[in-house]
Amino acid sequence: AMSSAGGRQPSQSRAIPTRTVALSDATQLPPDYCTTPGGTLFSTTPGGTRIIYDRKFLLDRRNSPMAQTPPCHLPNIPGVTSPGSAGEEPKADANSLNH
């Protein structure tokens, strides 16, 4: 007799509903497709290795010395990699976006 169940009937198992969406380009993916609501990030390497960073790991890295300084050899992009002037709007050039 299993009294630990509290007198409840076991739940019926049901298939989790899924749907398949065909994408023709990576730009059709939502911006948060590789995150969970809890903050876990997951991805794969080109070789197929799975990479999983949970929220606690990422928050622990926030205080590392490497996180306190910007990477070296960044291009100078006002408002992105260097402070921009207050009312400056970035002007996107169609040719520069392709490089």
Side-chain angles (χ1 to χ4, degrees):
M2 290 205 267
S3 60
S4 64
R8 291 182 285 147
Q9 294 293 319
S11 61
Q12 293 291 323
S13 62
R14 291 180 298 215
I16 297 173
T18 60
R19 65 186 175 124
T20 302
V21 179
L23 301 177
S24 60
D25 191 67
T27 59
Q28 294 175 312
L29 289 169
D32 58 352
Y33 81 100
C34 63
T35 62
T36 66
T40 299
L41 293 172
F42 56 95
S43 187
T44 56
T45 65
T49 305
R50 284 182 291 185
I51 305 172
I52 300 172
Y53 299 110
D54 67 351
R55 184 175 187 274
K56 181 184 180 312
F57 175 82
L58 292 172
L59 288 174
D60 287 346
R61 302 286 84 71
R62 176 172 57 175
N63 297 322
S64 78
M66 287 185 82
Q68 306 304 318
T69 57
C72 58
H73 309 301
L74 284 179
N76 183 18
I77 305 170
V80 179
T81 59
S82 64
S85 59
E88 187 178 339
E89 283 294 317
K91 294 173 181 59
D93 181 33
N95 289 332
S96 68
L97 293 177
N98 292 332
H99 297 301

